[in-house]
Amino acid sequence: QQPVQSPQAVILREGEDAVINCSSSKALYSVHWYRQKHGEAPVFLMILLKGGEQKGHDKISASFNEKKQQSSLYLTASQLSYSGTYFCGTEIDGNEKLTFGTGTRLTIIP
Amino acid sequence: DTAVSQTPKYLVTQMGNDKSIKCEQNLGHDTMYWYKQDSKKFLKIMFSYNNKELIINETVPNRFSPKSPDKAHLNLHINSLELGDSAVYFCASSQVLGVAGELFFGEGSRLTVL
């Protein structure tokens, strides 16, 4: 089952903050976040494993709520380089398969 | 020095033809994957191989046949191409089996079936 991301698209001005959500209908073992710029390959941002950890990567951080089967990606003080489509990828316990979400297109304008 | 490389980058062909896409990784990873990204940007796993052994085979038509001659290479052959096969195909690799690790993607191969 494909995880659902929200919002589908968002437009921000440089310096504004954004939150991208990823919801699954099944219990999760791990959540991954990737960013894909137009015409390019997806690029890894971070992994969150079962255990409720939160990770950060410069001004991009994420949380993982196992009980709610959700993860959120936080982008603070957004930069033009943050533009792209963000995908969460989820792994259900033991199946060793990453299923990508529906994607969120983020556009940062000056 | 490209970590995961795919060839060709673009393929335009007629329905009914057969085509292949090649993928090579120089990262020393054990696991390789094929993903399909359709026009709506949905990224779906097709196959995964670990050390030349098929691990994941999603509900992909038999017309798609992956081949891994060694753990650094994973090729995708598609028979009797259909319009719905038009997509970008991404090869990826990871250090370990399972998804505990980062996926490294190739640049993608855009297949257009006319």
Side-chain angles (χ1 to χ4, degrees), chain B residues 79-104:
Chain B
N79 289 327
S80 304
L81 279 156
E82 300 177 358
L83 293 176
D85 297 332
S86 294
V88 180
Y89 292 84
F90 285 100
C91 175
S93 72
S94 65
Q95 192 168 12
V96 295
L97 178 63
V99 290
E102 171 183 354
L103 288 178
F104 291 81

PDB file of all heavy atoms in Angstrom, chain B residues 79-104:
ATOM      1  N   ASN B  79      10.441  -7.088 -23.365  1.00  0.00           N
ATOM      2  CA  ASN B  79       9.939  -7.641 -24.632  1.00  0.00           C
ATOM      3  C   ASN B  79       8.595  -7.017 -24.992  1.00  0.00           C
ATOM      4  O   ASN B  79       7.835  -6.587 -24.113  1.00  0.00           O
ATOM      5  CB  ASN B  79       9.723  -9.152 -24.494  1.00  0.00           C
ATOM      6  CG  ASN B  79      11.028  -9.901 -24.398  1.00  0.00           C
ATOM      7  OD1 ASN B  79      12.028  -9.519 -24.991  1.00  0.00           O
ATOM      8  ND2 ASN B  79      11.026 -10.968 -23.613  1.00  0.00           N
ATOM      9  N   SER B  80       8.311  -7.016 -26.295  1.00  0.00           N
ATOM     10  CA  SER B  80       6.980  -6.624 -26.791  1.00  0.00           C
ATOM     11  C   SER B  80       6.484  -5.349 -26.107  1.00  0.00           C
ATOM     12  O   SER B  80       5.434  -5.344 -25.447  1.00  0.00           O
ATOM     13  CB  SER B  80       5.980  -7.762 -26.537  1.00  0.00           C
ATOM     14  OG  SER B  80       6.425  -8.947 -27.129  1.00  0.00           O
ATOM     15  N   LEU B  81       7.218  -4.297 -26.268  1.00  0.00           N
ATOM     16  CA  LEU B  81       6.917  -3.044 -25.579  1.00  0.00           C
ATOM     17  C   LEU B  81       5.507  -2.547 -25.872  1.00  0.00           C
ATOM     18  O   LEU B  81       4.994  -2.644 -26.989  1.00  0.00           O
ATOM     19  CB  LEU B  81       7.939  -1.984 -25.966  1.00  0.00           C
ATOM     20  CG  LEU B  81       9.246  -2.109 -25.191  1.00  0.00           C
ATOM     21  CD1 LEU B  81      10.394  -1.481 -25.949  1.00  0.00           C
ATOM     22  CD2 LEU B  81       9.094  -1.486 -23.805  1.00  0.00           C
ATOM     23  N   GLU B  82       4.880  -1.990 -24.817  1.00  0.00           N
ATOM     24  CA  GLU B  82       3.534  -1.435 -24.904  1.00  0.00           C
ATOM     25  C   GLU B  82       3.581   0.042 -24.554  1.00  0.00           C
ATOM     26  O   GLU B  82       4.526   0.514 -23.911  1.00  0.00           O
ATOM     27  CB  GLU B  82       2.604  -2.176 -23.936  1.00  0.00           C
ATOM     28  CG  GLU B  82       2.498  -3.653 -24.220  1.00  0.00           C
ATOM     29  CD  GLU B  82       1.615  -4.371 -23.201  1.00  0.00           C
ATOM     30  OE1 GLU B  82       1.120  -3.711 -22.252  1.00  0.00           O
ATOM     31  OE2 GLU B  82       1.418  -5.594 -23.364  1.00  0.00           O
ATOM     32  N   LEU B  83       2.526   0.763 -24.950  1.00  0.00           N
ATOM     33  CA  LEU B  83       2.473   2.199 -24.675  1.00  0.00           C
ATOM     34  C   LEU B  83       2.634   2.489 -23.178  1.00  0.00           C
ATOM     35  O   LEU B  83       3.299   3.449 -22.776  1.00  0.00           O
ATOM     36  CB  LEU B  83       1.145   2.793 -25.173  1.00  0.00           C
ATOM     37  CG  LEU B  83       0.926   2.812 -26.684  1.00  0.00           C
ATOM     38  CD1 LEU B  83      -0.472   3.334 -26.999  1.00  0.00           C
ATOM     39  CD2 LEU B  83       1.983   3.666 -27.372  1.00  0.00           C
ATOM     40  N   GLY B  84       2.022   1.648 -22.355  1.00  0.00           N
ATOM     41  CA  GLY B  84       2.058   1.854 -20.908  1.00  0.00           C
ATOM     42  C   GLY B  84       3.422   1.641 -20.277  1.00  0.00           C
ATOM     43  O   GLY B  84       3.623   1.938 -19.096  1.00  0.00           O
ATOM     44  N   ASP B  85       4.362   1.150 -21.067  1.00  0.00           N
ATOM     45  CA  ASP B  85       5.719   0.971 -20.538  1.00  0.00           C
ATOM     46  C   ASP B  85       6.503   2.277 -20.562  1.00  0.00           C
ATOM     47  O   ASP B  85       7.591   2.356 -19.987  1.00  0.00           O
ATOM     48  CB  ASP B  85       6.479  -0.083 -21.361  1.00  0.00           C
ATOM     49  CG  ASP B  85       5.839  -1.454 -21.283  1.00  0.00           C
ATOM     50  OD1 ASP B  85       5.189  -1.746 -20.249  1.00  0.00           O
ATOM     51  OD2 ASP B  85       5.989  -2.236 -22.241  1.00  0.00           O
ATOM     52  N   SER B  86       5.968   3.279 -21.218  1.00  0.00           N
ATOM     53  CA  SER B  86       6.639   4.587 -21.262  1.00  0.00           C
ATOM     54  C   SER B  86       6.778   5.123 -19.842  1.00  0.00           C
ATOM     55  O   SER B  86       5.786   5.235 -19.110  1.00  0.00           O
ATOM     56  CB  SER B  86       5.831   5.581 -22.110  1.00  0.00           C
ATOM     57  OG  SER B  86       5.812   5.176 -23.458  1.00  0.00           O
ATOM     58  N   ALA B  87       7.994   5.430 -19.464  1.00  0.00           N
ATOM     59  CA  ALA B  87       8.286   5.856 -18.090  1.00  0.00           C
ATOM     60  C   ALA B  87       9.772   6.152 -17.997  1.00  0.00           C
ATOM     61  O   ALA B  87      10.526   5.945 -18.950  1.00  0.00           O
ATOM     62  CB  ALA B  87       7.919   4.751 -17.096  1.00  0.00           C
ATOM     63  N   VAL B  88      10.165   6.618 -16.811  1.00  0.00           N
ATOM     64  CA  VAL B  88      11.596   6.709 -16.517  1.00  0.00           C
ATOM     65  C   VAL B  88      11.946   5.533 -15.621  1.00  0.00           C
ATOM     66  O   VAL B  88      11.285   5.305 -14.599  1.00  0.00           O
ATOM     67  CB  VAL B  88      11.963   8.041 -15.820  1.00  0.00           C
ATOM     68  CG1 VAL B  88      13.468   8.081 -15.547  1.00  0.00           C
ATOM     69  CG2 VAL B  88      11.539   9.225 -16.674  1.00  0.00           C
ATOM     70  N   TYR B  89      12.949   4.782 -16.002  1.00  0.00           N
ATOM     71  CA  TYR B  89      13.379   3.617 -15.237  1.00  0.00           C
ATOM     72  C   TYR B  89      14.671   3.974 -14.507  1.00  0.00           C
ATOM     73  O   TYR B  89      15.651   4.409 -15.116  1.00  0.00           O
ATOM     74  CB  TYR B  89      13.586   2.413 -16.157  1.00  0.00           C
ATOM     75  CG  TYR B  89      12.279   1.926 -16.733  1.00  0.00           C
ATOM     76  CD1 TYR B  89      11.730   2.509 -17.875  1.00  0.00           C
ATOM     77  CD2 TYR B  89      11.559   0.911 -16.106  1.00  0.00           C
ATOM     78  CE1 TYR B  89      10.514   2.094 -18.382  1.00  0.00           C
ATOM     79  CE2 TYR B  89      10.340   0.487 -16.609  1.00  0.00           C
ATOM     80  CZ  TYR B  89       9.820   1.082 -17.744  1.00  0.00           C
ATOM     81  OH  TYR B  89       8.600   0.673 -18.237  1.00  0.00           O
ATOM     82  N   PHE B  90      14.626   3.814 -13.185  1.00  0.00           N
ATOM     83  CA  PHE B  90      15.788   4.122 -12.362  1.00  0.00           C
ATOM     84  C   PHE B  90      16.377   2.837 -11.814  1.00  0.00           C
ATOM     85  O   PHE B  90      15.683   1.994 -11.248  1.00  0.00           O
ATOM     86  CB  PHE B  90      15.403   5.006 -11.169  1.00  0.00           C
ATOM     87  CG  PHE B  90      15.146   6.440 -11.519  1.00  0.00           C
ATOM     88  CD1 PHE B  90      13.846   6.902 -11.665  1.00  0.00           C
ATOM     89  CD2 PHE B  90      16.197   7.320 -11.695  1.00  0.00           C
ATOM     90  CE1 PHE B  90      13.603   8.232 -11.982  1.00  0.00           C
ATOM     91  CE2 PHE B  90      15.970   8.655 -12.009  1.00  0.00           C
ATOM     92  CZ  PHE B  90      14.662   9.106 -12.156  1.00  0.00           C
ATOM     93  N   CYS B  91      17.681   2.750 -11.930  1.00  0.00           N
ATOM     94  CA  CYS B  91      18.436   1.708 -11.265  1.00  0.00           C
ATOM     95  C   CYS B  91      18.940   2.297  -9.947  1.00  0.00           C
ATOM     96  O   CYS B  91      19.199   3.521  -9.864  1.00  0.00           O
ATOM     97  CB  CYS B  91      19.607   1.302 -12.158  1.00  0.00           C
ATOM     98  SG  CYS B  91      20.731   0.111 -11.445  1.00  0.00           S
ATOM     99  N   ALA B  92      19.055   1.487  -8.930  1.00  0.00           N
ATOM    100  CA  ALA B  92      19.574   1.962  -7.649  1.00  0.00           C
ATOM    101  C   ALA B  92      20.368   0.846  -6.989  1.00  0.00           C
ATOM    102  O   ALA B  92      20.226  -0.334  -7.341  1.00  0.00           O
ATOM    103  CB  ALA B  92      18.434   2.409  -6.728  1.00  0.00           C
ATOM    104  N   SER B  93      21.209   1.226  -6.047  1.00  0.00           N
ATOM    105  CA  SER B  93      21.941   0.215  -5.286  1.00  0.00           C
ATOM    106  C   SER B  93      21.970   0.616  -3.821  1.00  0.00           C
ATOM    107  O   SER B  93      21.796   1.796  -3.473  1.00  0.00           O
ATOM    108  CB  SER B  93      23.370   0.051  -5.817  1.00  0.00           C
ATOM    109  OG  SER B  93      24.177   1.156  -5.478  1.00  0.00           O
ATOM    110  N   SER B  94      22.168  -0.376  -2.963  1.00  0.00           N
ATOM    111  CA  SER B  94      22.354  -0.110  -1.539  1.00  0.00           C
ATOM    112  C   SER B  94      23.386  -1.086  -1.000  1.00  0.00           C
ATOM    113  O   SER B  94      23.592  -2.171  -1.545  1.00  0.00           O
ATOM    114  CB  SER B  94      21.046  -0.210  -0.764  1.00  0.00           C
ATOM    115  OG  SER B  94      20.544  -1.528  -0.790  1.00  0.00           O
ATOM    116  N   GLN B  95      23.998  -0.675   0.099  1.00  0.00           N
ATOM    117  CA  GLN B  95      25.110  -1.453   0.634  1.00  0.00           C
ATOM    118  C   GLN B  95      24.666  -2.802   1.168  1.00  0.00           C
ATOM    119  O   GLN B  95      25.370  -3.795   1.059  1.00  0.00           O
ATOM    120  CB  GLN B  95      25.791  -0.652   1.744  1.00  0.00           C
ATOM    121  CG  GLN B  95      27.116  -1.214   2.173  1.00  0.00           C
ATOM    122  CD  GLN B  95      27.872  -0.240   3.044  1.00  0.00           C
ATOM    123  OE1 GLN B  95      27.324   0.751   3.512  1.00  0.00           O
ATOM    124  NE2 GLN B  95      29.136  -0.501   3.271  1.00  0.00           N
ATOM    125  N   VAL B  96      23.469  -2.819   1.771  1.00  0.00           N
ATOM    126  CA  VAL B  96      23.008  -4.039   2.406  1.00  0.00           C
ATOM    127  C   VAL B  96      21.657  -4.437   1.860  1.00  0.00           C
ATOM    128  O   VAL B  96      20.913  -3.621   1.331  1.00  0.00           O
ATOM    129  CB  VAL B  96      22.905  -3.876   3.939  1.00  0.00           C
ATOM    130  CG1 VAL B  96      24.275  -3.654   4.537  1.00  0.00           C
ATOM    131  CG2 VAL B  96      21.965  -2.744   4.302  1.00  0.00           C
ATOM    132  N   LEU B  97      21.321  -5.688   2.042  1.00  0.00           N
ATOM    133  CA  LEU B  97      19.977  -6.159   1.705  1.00  0.00           C
ATOM    134  C   LEU B  97      19.004  -5.548   2.686  1.00  0.00           C
ATOM    135  O   LEU B  97      19.297  -5.382   3.851  1.00  0.00           O
ATOM    136  CB  LEU B  97      19.938  -7.684   1.820  1.00  0.00           C
ATOM    137  CG  LEU B  97      18.571  -8.335   1.551  1.00  0.00           C
ATOM    138  CD1 LEU B  97      18.137  -8.069   0.129  1.00  0.00           C
ATOM    139  CD2 LEU B  97      18.643  -9.819   1.823  1.00  0.00           C
ATOM    140  N   GLY B  98      17.827  -5.228   2.210  1.00  0.00           N
ATOM    141  CA  GLY B  98      16.882  -4.566   3.091  1.00  0.00           C
ATOM    142  C   GLY B  98      17.060  -3.070   2.979  1.00  0.00           C
ATOM    143  O   GLY B  98      17.919  -2.585   2.256  1.00  0.00           O
ATOM    144  N   VAL B  99      16.300  -2.353   3.699  1.00  0.00           N
ATOM    145  CA  VAL B  99      16.275  -0.911   3.490  1.00  0.00           C
ATOM    146  C   VAL B  99      16.849  -0.158   4.679  1.00  0.00           C
ATOM    147  O   VAL B  99      16.440   0.954   4.973  1.00  0.00           O
ATOM    148  CB  VAL B  99      14.863  -0.433   3.144  1.00  0.00           C
ATOM    149  CG1 VAL B  99      14.484  -0.917   1.774  1.00  0.00           C
ATOM    150  CG2 VAL B  99      13.853  -0.923   4.159  1.00  0.00           C
ATOM    151  N   ALA B 100      17.794  -0.768   5.365  1.00  0.00           N
ATOM    152  CA  ALA B 100      18.436  -0.068   6.458  1.00  0.00           C
ATOM    153  C   ALA B 100      19.382   0.998   5.942  1.00  0.00           C
ATOM    154  O   ALA B 100      19.856   1.826   6.702  1.00  0.00           O
ATOM    155  CB  ALA B 100      19.192  -1.046   7.343  1.00  0.00           C
ATOM    156  N   GLY B 101      19.673   0.938   4.665  1.00  0.00           N
ATOM    157  CA  GLY B 101      20.657   1.855   4.120  1.00  0.00           C
ATOM    158  C   GLY B 101      20.108   2.743   3.031  1.00  0.00           C
ATOM    159  O   GLY B 101      19.006   2.566   2.528  1.00  0.00           O
ATOM    160  N   GLU B 102      20.914   3.709   2.687  1.00  0.00           N
ATOM    161  CA  GLU B 102      20.582   4.675   1.658  1.00  0.00           C
ATOM    162  C   GLU B 102      20.555   4.021   0.287  1.00  0.00           C
ATOM    163  O   GLU B 102      21.393   3.156  -0.015  1.00  0.00           O
ATOM    164  CB  GLU B 102      21.664   5.752   1.705  1.00  0.00           C
ATOM    165  CG  GLU B 102      21.655   6.768   0.601  1.00  0.00           C
ATOM    166  CD  GLU B 102      22.813   7.740   0.719  1.00  0.00           C
ATOM    167  OE1 GLU B 102      23.555   7.688   1.731  1.00  0.00           O
ATOM    168  OE2 GLU B 102      22.986   8.551  -0.216  1.00  0.00           O
ATOM    169  N   LEU B 103      19.613   4.459  -0.534  1.00  0.00           N
ATOM    170  CA  LEU B 103      19.580   4.043  -1.932  1.00  0.00           C
ATOM    171  C   LEU B 103      20.335   5.076  -2.764  1.00  0.00           C
ATOM    172  O   LEU B 103      20.108   6.272  -2.624  1.00  0.00           O
ATOM    173  CB  LEU B 103      18.143   3.963  -2.442  1.00  0.00           C
ATOM    174  CG  LEU B 103      17.262   2.827  -1.935  1.00  0.00           C
ATOM    175  CD1 LEU B 103      15.866   2.954  -2.529  1.00  0.00           C
ATOM    176  CD2 LEU B 103      17.859   1.489  -2.289  1.00  0.00           C
ATOM    177  N   PHE B 104      21.209   4.587  -3.627  1.00  0.00           N
ATOM    178  CA  PHE B 104      21.903   5.454  -4.573  1.00  0.00           C
ATOM    179  C   PHE B 104      21.287   5.205  -5.944  1.00  0.00           C
ATOM    180  O   PHE B 104      21.328   4.076  -6.449  1.00  0.00           O
ATOM    181  CB  PHE B 104      23.404   5.126  -4.607  1.00  0.00           C
ATOM    182  CG  PHE B 104      24.127   5.488  -3.348  1.00  0.00           C
ATOM    183  CD1 PHE B 104      24.079   4.655  -2.232  1.00  0.00           C
ATOM    184  CD2 PHE B 104      24.869   6.657  -3.259  1.00  0.00           C
ATOM    185  CE1 PHE B 104      24.747   4.978  -1.059  1.00  0.00           C
ATOM    186  CE2 PHE B 104      25.555   6.990  -2.096  1.00  0.00           C
ATOM    187  CZ  PHE B 104      25.481   6.149  -0.990  1.00  0.00           C
TER     188      PHE B 104
END
